[in-house]
Amino acid sequence: MNIQAEAKRFFISRFGLAEGLSANQILTIHQDRNQFLWIGTPNGLQRFDGRTFMTYEVKKDGVRQPSLPVYEIQEDQAGNMWLRIGNEYGYYIPEKEQFTPFPFEKKQVRSSWEFLWMDQRGNLFIIFKENKILWFDPLKGHITDQNLPIKLPDGWRPNSIFEDRQGKYWLSCVEGIAVYDPAKDQVYTAFHNPENLPLLQRTDFHHVINVYQDQEDIYWINYWDPDEILLSYESKTNQWKDHKEELRNGNDNYQEVYGILELPDGQFWRYGVQTLADYDRQSQQFTRVVQDDILFDKITKAIWDPSKGIWLGTDQGLYFLHLDTPDINFFNLDNKNGNNELQTVEEVIYQGDTTLWMGSWGKGIKIYKPIYGEQDSDWSRKNLPSGPEFKQVWDLFHDKKRELVWVALQKGNLQVIDLDTRKSFLLSPDVFGGSTIRAIAQDAKGDLWFGTQNGAVIHYTGEGIQESGFRRFRKVGGTIPKLLVSKDQKIWVATINEGVYVFDPGDGKIIQHLDDRVLSSNKIEKIHQLNDSIFLMGYELLNKFNALTGKNQVFSYSDGMVSNVISHIESDLTGLAWIYTPNGMTQFDVNNNTFSSFGKNHFFSQLPTDGYSGTRLSNGALAFVSNNALLIFDPLQFERNLPPLRPTVTSVSLFGIYVGDGTVENSQRVFSSHQNNLTFDFNILNFLLQDRFGYYYRLVGAGQDWEKARGDFKAVYSLLPPGTYRFEVKTANELGVFSEAAAYAFEIKPGLVQTWWFKALLGMLFLGIVVLIYRMNINRIMAVVKLRSQLARDLHDDMGSTLSTINILSSMAKTKLGTDPAKTSDYISKISENSQRMMESMDDIVWSIKPQNDSMEKLIARMREFANQVLESKDMVFSMEVHQRILGLKLSMDARRDLFLIFKEGVNNAAKYSGASRVFIDFGLDGALFTMRIKDDGKGFNMDDLEEGNGLENMKKRASNLGGNMEIDTNPGKGTELILKVLL
């Protein structure tokens, strides 16, 4: 680590409001056994998985509570979470968001100086600073000062408790230090020290803030007298040391060092107000961490993360201190007078002295020496004209054959620097035609090659500095941003408009032209030869061209690159390509076409987005430049092909509402049919490594194919059908080695209409409907058959017999025509009578089958018409009464016909036999019975003397067909009444 890097000892990641924190003021932090980070803020409780902050509500008895400050978070030995929310203490079930407070046994005088502490036995204590100690009594279910597991000297006011490895409790109090030994049930102080404890041999301690014994058996005592004092006592040497001056911030700001953090490897840290420092056990001194990327006034809590870092909860957000910060030299140039616009970097080794030369677009050459920083470069600009074009550097190259540095400038100018004399020379060869020189390369013979803005390739073969040594080699269309002399000494020319040309340096012939028919685009600004056959090139996409096979592969963001835009490409000594992009650095392994990126949790994520050039140094280190910075690092210090870690399903959301995750046993696993929109978030709960692997997921039950996560680290499934599913996610390293899959099994129950028995019932119903329709169709056909049969029968019975009679009468009339005119006339009269009756019957049949005659109103009208024709011809007066409800009745064709024929027969009988002068006809309702009455005032008759003929028998039969009965009420001299009653 050099001097410049020493000023920034650690890589820092910061999280605040923009990243999802509910408040920049952190009150407490805690990492649970699953490696989730829990954060308490003035605005409530949050959980962090390294990517996403999840906000939790607080419910009491199922009722959502207002967002109150979360001051304390503790986890007991059973994994239960204990919180102080507002002024209440209790346990919290995160997956249910349920908070159950523990009440105080007695009303307490509260202050802001109280905190939660848990001993090695799992007992939970509340320390009211400078007041008293209470504890959570699990048997009585409340917070009390009775039956305390810890004893305190009478009248002593505690500030904190520490439990040592022997189980003794060290009580830091206003009055001094007290020790409680539960094994002997004894309390020791400076005034009662039968065990001769070294710390109790001093009587000058008061207002003690904390006491701590570290892994090296060094005791640390923090107290006030009147200023804050930090002492260490080494029991092995019996030596005391004051460390307060080591921690002073060098100004008059208030400072307080109350926090203690010891790492598993023995590293020791102190923190507090205006203080963060680590302890060097070799020098026995603290070193303050002062960096411009970590700002705070107060650190409330610091905890160790097993991923080799420290989480800091501050009043300016959440910080992660990377303790494995790589050995990286990141040098920022002074840009107070404007950006430097660095365009290129070149390693210059002269007489064993190594320097890095950087060309800027506007300020000429900058020179940097590792370890010592920026060097004087004003001498390189001597003897140059003052115009801006002489300070606008596009490229520079160290010519080891001639010990010259060639500097490509605007308007066809070349600056040449002699390293022996440190003198600059300005050349403006006519062969450049005043065009800006963009690129410089050198072949194995030492000849130089130049590419220009207007597409000219210039070849230089001169000795030393000779303008006569330049000649035009070839001309291509468009700007040449990059020239490359390949290992087989071919000239590769990248252009912005025409792709890449490959020339023979001897005769200038085009060996190959790679344009958008082969490459991803004709715009190629970067080209790098990785080995004998593989060339990497591109600008907005990465092309991997195999010069032996002529095949090209194109890679993009969707294939694992952190950005499609390529700022520069370099390779390390192992053949791994390093690609600098606006989104950071990525590694590319051409052997298996895999990318390995470092993500937002790594130093490379904070690289400037305006990088342009780079180079590999002679010692294997890589150097990249951006507008105002130089980055140098050893690429071999980064581990590759790490064993992939098993990920965690960090959240399962139903319609965006959290219902569980892979770490919670009682997460929701059964869903109803309409709860079918699920989102799964996943991650490796290792902050440093979570971005170093690829993530693959699938949903077994919906498909078997693995899908690669593209950066959002979540899988969304909508409108899932009922069934049994298992969501699986795994990680893979660069070699394609997969981790064990994490799984989340669940079931979506079918709805009522999706159950098998409902479907079976639905099928049966469908079959029933089909059968019903079939039967209705059959009934309709049978009804037609019945109608046809009835019509045939009626035609046969009525028409057939009548026509037969007419035929007989016609024959008889024909035989009597010449011999008996009177008889013939009688026969003809009968023929006329039968014909009339046949016509009436035919009219009745046709009328009865018409659908428009289905209403009772039409039937009554026809009955009235018939009665009027028959009775008026006999000079009989008739009246007809119809009940209003009768007109709304509907009758079938058969019922209508039978009713009409009964009526017709009844009226005919009254007209023929009654001798009446009046006939009364009535249609009415008697309860649910339809009634028809035909009454005359005629002569009547005796029912016993009646000989039933076909007419009366047919009437009774038709009444039976209607489902009713017919009665005749008559007596001689009293008229006759026909009564028909039908249940409709």
Side-chain angles (χ1 to χ4, degrees):
M1 195 74 75
N2 54 53
I3 294 174
Q4 296 294 336
E6 186 66 22
K8 186 172 182 177
R9 296 171 56 204
F10 302 102
F11 171 50
I12 303 291
S13 295
R14 180 190 177 275
F15 303 89
L17 292 172
E19 289 72 33
L21 262 180
S22 61
N24 280 333
Q25 183 183 2
I26 309 297
L27 301 177
T28 187
I29 54 176
H30 170 76
Q31 191 169 44
D32 67 19
R33 59 188 61 191
N34 295 312
Q35 304 307 309
F36 283 114
L37 189 69
W38 295 86
I39 305 106
T41 75
N43 296 330
L45 179 68
Q46 289 186 290
R47 193 193 73 178
F48 186 50
D49 65 0
R51 297 190 203 277
T52 306
F53 288 92
M54 182 184 296
T55 300
Y56 282 75
E57 292 184 348
V58 174
K59 301 175 183 176
K60 289 196 295 186
D61 298 325
V63 179
R64 178 178 176 273
Q65 303 296 303
S67 295
L68 294 174
V70 175
Y71 294 102
E72 299 283 346
I73 306 174
Q74 286 279 359
E75 187 177 9
D76 65 21
Q77 296 172 344
N80 300 313
M81 184 178 292
W82 293 82
L83 306 178
R84 175 192 169 194
I85 303 177
N87 285 323
E88 291 186 306
Y89 292 90
Y91 64 87
Y92 183 71
I93 303 175
E95 60 271 22
K96 296 181 179 179
E97 299 182 303
Q98 181 64 41
F99 178 67
T100 303
F102 259 48
F104 285 90
E105 181 183 28
K106 303 174 184 176
K107 186 175 181 180
Q108 302 292 331
V109 177
R110 309 290 292 275
S111 72
S112 60
W113 299 97
E114 60 183 72
F115 62 90
L116 193 63
W117 182 77
M118 184 171 61
D119 67 11
Q120 299 173 17
R121 299 170 179 82
N123 295 315
L124 280 165
F125 300 87
I126 299 174
I127 301 173
F128 287 6
K129 295 189 71 173
E130 299 185 6
N131 190 351
K132 58 183 174 181
I133 301 173
L134 299 95
W135 76 303
F136 290 76
D137 189 331
L139 298 179
K140 295 184 178 180
H142 56 218
I143 303 170
T144 180
D145 58 1
Q146 302 298 310
N147 303 315
L148 275 172
I150 296 176
K151 289 186 178 180
L152 193 68
D154 291 341
W156 282 44
R157 295 166 291 173
N159 281 315
S160 65
I161 310 174
F162 166 70
E163 185 179 8
D164 66 18
R165 292 186 290 273
Q166 289 74 39
K168 295 185 180 69
Y169 295 92
W170 294 74
L171 304 160
S172 300
C173 304
V174 174
E175 292 73 19
I177 301 173
V179 178
Y180 173 63
D181 186 347
K184 298 180 180 179
D185 194 26
Q186 292 291 318
V187 178
Y188 310 123
T189 67
F191 310 103
H192 175 67
N193 186 18
E195 301 288 331
N196 292 318
L197 299 175
L199 266 63
L200 300 186
Q201 293 174 359
R202 293 183 55 163
T203 60
D204 56 336
F205 292 145
H206 54 274
H207 286 282
V208 181
I209 302 302
N210 52 58
V211 176
Y212 183 81
Q213 180 188 20
D214 68 19
Q215 298 177 26
E216 300 295 326
D217 285 333
I218 297 175
Y219 288 88
W220 298 87
I221 303 96
N222 190 199
Y223 70 102
W224 289 79
D225 187 24
D227 193 10
E228 185 184 30
I229 298 174
L230 177 62
L231 298 179
S232 66
Y233 171 74
E234 190 169 353
S235 55
K236 297 176 183 177
T237 61
N238 199 30
Q239 290 184 344
W240 292 86
K241 186 175 181 181
D242 189 344
H243 299 273
K244 181 59 182 178
E245 290 300 323
E246 303 163 16
L247 298 173
R248 292 196 183 276
N249 49 29
N251 54 45
D252 295 331
N253 293 344
Y254 175 76
Q255 185 178 8
E256 186 176 351
V257 188
Y258 53 74
I260 303 167
L261 177 63
E262 187 174 13
L263 278 51
D265 62 359
Q267 292 187 59
F268 190 74
W269 291 71
R270 296 302 299 249
Y271 61 89
V273 177
Q274 295 274 317
T275 302
L276 176 63
D278 62 335
Y279 182 67
D280 183 354
R281 295 193 183 275
Q282 294 291 329
S283 63
Q284 298 183 346
Q285 289 189 342
F286 282 97
T287 303
R288 298 178 67 243
V289 177
V290 180
Q291 296 184 191
D292 57 6
D293 54 359
I294 177 169
L295 302 174
F296 64 89
D297 181 64
K298 178 182 180 181
I299 299 176
T300 56
K301 190 75 175 287
I303 61 173
W304 159 249
D305 190 305
S307 65
K308 298 180 181 179
I310 296 174
W311 291 101
L312 304 174
T314 78
D315 57 353
Q316 296 296 321
L318 179 68
Y319 290 91
F320 185 80
L321 197 72
H322 298 250
L323 295 186
D324 66 342
T325 297
D327 188 8
I328 293 177
N329 182 351
F330 188 74
F331 172 66
N332 275 305
L333 272 67
D334 182 8
N335 63 345
K336 293 180 180 177
N337 296 322
N339 287 338
N340 291 277
E341 302 287 350
L342 299 177
Q343 296 292 307
T344 183
V345 59
E346 177 78 357
E347 181 185 37
V348 177
I349 303 177
Y350 177 68
Q351 295 181 352
D353 184 33
T354 299
T355 55
L356 293 179
W357 291 40
M358 296 170 287
S360 70
W361 207 75
K363 296 183 179 180
I365 294 173
K366 301 286 185 179
I367 300 176
Y368 176 83
K369 185 182 289 293
I371 300 177
Y372 299 105
E374 189 172 6
Q375 304 294 296
D376 173 37
S377 59
D378 291 341
W379 62 268
S380 67
R381 291 182 286 277
K382 289 182 179 180
N383 303 324
L384 290 180
S386 60
E389 65 269 26
F390 303 107
K391 297 179 182 179
Q392 295 173 338
V393 179
W394 281 101
D395 199 6
L396 51 81
F397 185 79
H398 179 203
D399 180 357
K400 298 181 179 64
K401 175 183 176 181
R402 302 172 181 86
E403 286 300 343
L404 302 173
V405 175
W406 299 80
V407 184
L409 301 172
Q410 292 276 84
K411 298 182 179 181
N413 293 303
L414 267 173
Q415 180 186 3
V416 186
I417 300 174
D418 189 327
L419 294 175
D420 291 330
T421 63
R422 298 188 73 179
K423 290 184 177 180
S424 291
F425 302 89
L426 184 66
L427 302 178
S428 299
D430 293 337
V431 69
F432 288 103
S435 179
T436 296
I437 304 170
R438 292 289 300 273
I440 308 173
Q442 189 173 39
D443 61 24
K445 296 186 299 181
D447 292 355
L448 293 173
W449 300 82
F450 300 87
T452 70
Q453 187 83 9
N454 65 4
V457 179
I458 308 300
H459 185 196
Y460 179 74
T461 58
E463 296 293 333
I465 305 172
Q466 298 176 342
E467 283 203 46
S468 60
F470 296 93
R471 70 178 181 89
R472 175 171 289 204
F473 177 74
R474 284 297 300 253
K475 178 73 167 62
V476 298
T479 301
I480 300 175
K482 182 68 176 179
L483 279 176
L484 173 71
V485 179
S486 63
K487 294 181 180 181
D488 60 358
Q489 299 302 294
K490 302 295 189 299
I491 309 301
W492 291 64
V493 180
T495 75
I496 289 181
N497 298 318
E498 297 183 352
V500 176
Y501 288 93
V502 184
F503 295 110
D504 186 317
D507 54 20
K509 291 183 178 179
I510 299 176
I511 299 174
Q512 202 167 17
H513 179 206
L514 306 175
D515 58 12
D516 56 9
R517 292 170 295 182
V518 178
L519 304 177
S520 62
S521 169
N522 282 333
K523 183 178 183 180
I524 303 295
E525 291 195 11
K526 309 296 177 182
I527 182 169
H528 177 77
Q529 185 174 9
L530 198 64
N531 53 43
D532 290 340
S533 59
I534 301 300
F535 289 79
L536 300 178
M537 59 189 83
Y539 172 66
E540 292 177 343
L541 292 171
L542 178 66
N543 294 266
K544 173 188 170 184
F545 178 72
N546 190 315
L548 296 180
T549 64
K551 293 183 178 180
N552 184 61
Q553 293 175 275
V554 180
F555 301 92
S556 67
Y557 178 80
S558 61
D559 299 304
M561 294 179 63
V562 294
S563 172
N564 284 336
V565 178
I566 299 171
S567 301
H568 193 73
I569 306 172
E570 278 296 334
S571 57
D572 61 27
L573 295 175
T574 67
L576 185 71
W578 291 73
I579 304 173
Y580 186 9
T581 79
N583 289 349
M585 195 78 68
T586 186
Q587 301 169 322
F588 179 51
D589 190 334
V590 297
N591 295 319
N592 50 32
N593 291 335
T594 57
F595 294 88
S596 176
S597 302
F598 294 90
K600 64 181 178 60
N601 300 337
H602 196 273
F603 179 89
F604 285 141
S605 68
Q606 298 187 356
L607 291 179
T609 62
D610 50 15
Y612 186 81
S613 179
T615 187
R616 187 172 77 196
L617 308 184
S618 57
N619 62 2
L622 300 183
F624 294 91
V625 291
S626 59
N627 274 352
N628 298 296
L630 169 67
L631 170 70
I632 306 173
F633 64 93
D634 178 5
L636 301 185
Q637 69 179 302
F638 302 100
E639 290 186 87
R640 295 188 61 234
N641 304 319
L642 297 168
L645 301 179
R646 183 177 184 269
T648 299
V649 179
T650 56
S651 173
V652 181
S653 301
L654 173 65
F655 294 107
I657 300 175
Y658 171 81
V659 294
D661 57 61
T663 67
V664 179
E665 293 183 0
N666 57 345
S667 295
Q668 184 173 350
R669 302 279 181 159
V670 179
F671 302 90
S672 62
S673 59
H674 66 277
Q675 295 176 319
N676 57 358
N677 191 321
L678 295 171
T679 300
F680 298 88
D681 290 81
F682 44 85
N683 198 5
I684 292 175
L685 295 180
N686 183 305
F687 186 68
L688 293 183
L689 299 180
Q690 58 189 204
D691 290 329
R692 296 294 303 275
F693 302 100
Y695 291 75
Y696 297 81
Y697 63 88
R698 67 178 179 179
L699 184 61
V700 179
Q704 294 294 325
D705 295 336
W706 291 92
E707 184 175 351
K708 186 175 182 179
R710 297 301 178 188
D712 53 1
F713 301 95
K714 64 175 55 183
V716 180
Y717 297 97
S718 302
L719 303 177
L720 287 172
T724 300
Y725 298 94
R726 187 175 70 256
F727 176 76
E728 296 181 348
V729 57
K730 60 184 180 181
T731 62
N733 64 9
E734 298 96 314
L735 294 177
V737 178
F738 289 95
S739 71
E740 177 187 354
Y744 190 94
F746 63 97
E747 180 183 2
I748 297 180
K749 291 285 189 181
L752 176 64
V753 298
Q754 297 168 316
T755 58
W756 68 267
W757 57 266
F758 183 85
K759 292 179 180 178
L761 182 62
L762 201 62
M764 293 175 63
L765 179 61
F766 175 76
L767 290 176
I769 292 173
V770 171
V771 171
L772 179 61
I773 293 173
Y774 174 76
R775 294 187 63 179
M776 290 175 65
N777 189 48
I778 293 297
N779 290 339
R780 183 180 61 82
I781 294 173
M782 294 301 296
V784 172
V785 171
K786 180 180 178 182
L787 176 61
R788 291 173 63 185
S789 299
Q790 184 174 334
L791 286 174
R793 184 174 61 253
D794 290 345
L795 290 174
H796 177 270
D797 293 347
D798 293 343
M799 304 301 139
S801 61
T802 303
L803 288 173
S804 296
T805 303
I806 292 173
N807 184 47
I808 293 172
L809 291 172
S810 296
S811 297
M812 293 176 67
K814 184 178 180 181
T815 57
K816 299 292 183 179
L817 181 63
T819 59
D820 192 350
K823 205 68 170 173
T824 300
S825 177
D826 183 48
Y827 288 152
I828 292 173
S829 298
K830 290 182 179 180
I831 289 173
S832 177
E833 182 181 342
N834 280 285
S835 298
Q836 181 66 32
R837 187 166 60 250
M838 185 179 68
M839 289 176 62
E840 292 176 356
S841 297
M842 180 63 73
D843 184 57
D844 290 342
I845 292 172
V846 172
W847 184 89
S848 67
I849 64 176
K850 282 186 177 181
Q852 57 265 37
N853 295 328
D854 284 350
S855 69
M856 182 63 79
E857 189 175 356
K858 290 289 186 71
L859 179 60
I860 296 297
R862 182 166 178 80
M863 289 177 172
R864 187 188 298 275
E865 180 183 358
F866 176 79
N868 186 56
Q869 292 176 354
V870 172
L871 296 176
E872 281 190 0
S873 64
K874 298 294 184 177
D875 293 326
M876 293 182 180
V877 178
F878 81 95
S879 63
M880 181 180 289
E881 292 186 7
V882 181
H883 194 281
Q884 188 65 30
R885 291 171 58 192
I886 294 297
L887 299 178
L889 296 177
K890 289 284 187 180
L891 296 177
S892 67
M893 184 185 70
D894 290 341
R896 186 172 67 251
R897 185 169 180 271
D898 286 336
L899 182 60
F900 179 69
L901 291 177
I902 293 173
F903 173 81
K904 186 177 180 180
E905 187 69 24
V907 171
N908 274 328
N909 287 340
K912 288 181 180 180
Y913 307 117
S914 68
S917 59
R918 297 182 65 86
V919 178
F920 172 76
I921 302 172
D922 175 73
F923 297 96
L925 289 174
D926 185 8
L929 295 175
F930 167 78
T931 62
M932 182 181 72
R933 301 174 185 272
I934 303 174
K935 184 177 181 180
D936 62 60
D937 59 354
K939 58 186 178 182
F941 59 89
N942 191 334
M943 288 293 296
D944 295 336
D945 297 338
L946 181 66
E947 292 182 4
E948 293 189 4
N950 290 333
L952 184 58
E953 184 179 351
N954 286 337
M955 291 172 69
K956 290 183 176 181
K957 184 176 180 181
R958 294 183 189 280
S960 179
N961 290 340
L962 288 171
N965 68 297
M966 187 189 74
E967 298 176 358
I968 297 176
D969 184 14
T970 183
N971 280 304
K974 294 185 178 181
T976 304
E977 182 179 12
L978 184 149
I979 304 170
L980 174 67
K981 293 184 178 181
V982 179
L983 182 63
L984 296 179

